[in-house]
Amino acid sequence: MAQALSTRPEALDRLARNMPTFTATHLAGGMQKVTSTVMAEGAVVITRHDQPTMVLMSVDRYLKLEQAAEPNLDALTQKFDDMFARMQGAEAAQGMADAFAMTPAELGKAAVRAAR
């Protein structure tokens, strides 16, 4: 379940800094100005009692967010295929043979070197 925004003050602060802000009262009374700002800026924060309660955004910005959330399966497939091909080569096979021939201490040292 998603954490409530009220318990994440850093997220609320970031919203207030990065987007124009309107109160819920201004939203109800001045939709034309709010809409114009959304179209110019991409999104606005709507507050209630000085607390961010929602984000109003343009369809274009929403579609970009939606697209960014979807994995590019072709790119992921290519990345997997490339990694799998590297694992099939003689160099990878020799590396595995070397690893299995190492003592536990040698294997630990190699792991530390690889992590650096």
Side-chain angles (χ1 to χ4, degrees), residues 90-114:
E91 187 177 329
Q94 185 60 52
M96 288 306 299
D98 292 346
F100 279 109
M102 289 180 180
T103 67
E106 292 171 327
L107 191 57
K109 287 179 184 178
V112 168
R113 277 194 311 271

Side-chain angles (χ1 to χ4, degrees), residues 2-67:
Q3 185 179 14
L5 279 179
S6 60
T7 62
R8 300 185 327 192
E10 70 283 350
L12 297 178
D13 289 342
R14 186 171 26 85
L15 280 175
R17 280 193 314 269
N18 294 335
M19 283 189 265
T21 302
F22 289 89
T23 66
T25 303
H26 282 107
L27 175 63
M31 193 62 184
Q32 185 174 13
K33 181 179 180 188
V34 174
T35 300
S36 296
T37 304
V38 167
M39 298 313 292
E41 300 289 332
V44 298
V45 175
I46 306 300
T47 62
R48 175 174 277 156
H49 306 292
D50 295 324
Q51 292 296 312
T53 55
M54 70 179 99
V55 174
L56 184 61
M57 69 179 68
S58 67
V59 170
D60 184 50
R61 185 159 182 176
Y62 174 80
L63 292 174
K64 286 178 185 175
L65 286 173
E66 190 177 67
Q67 183 180 21

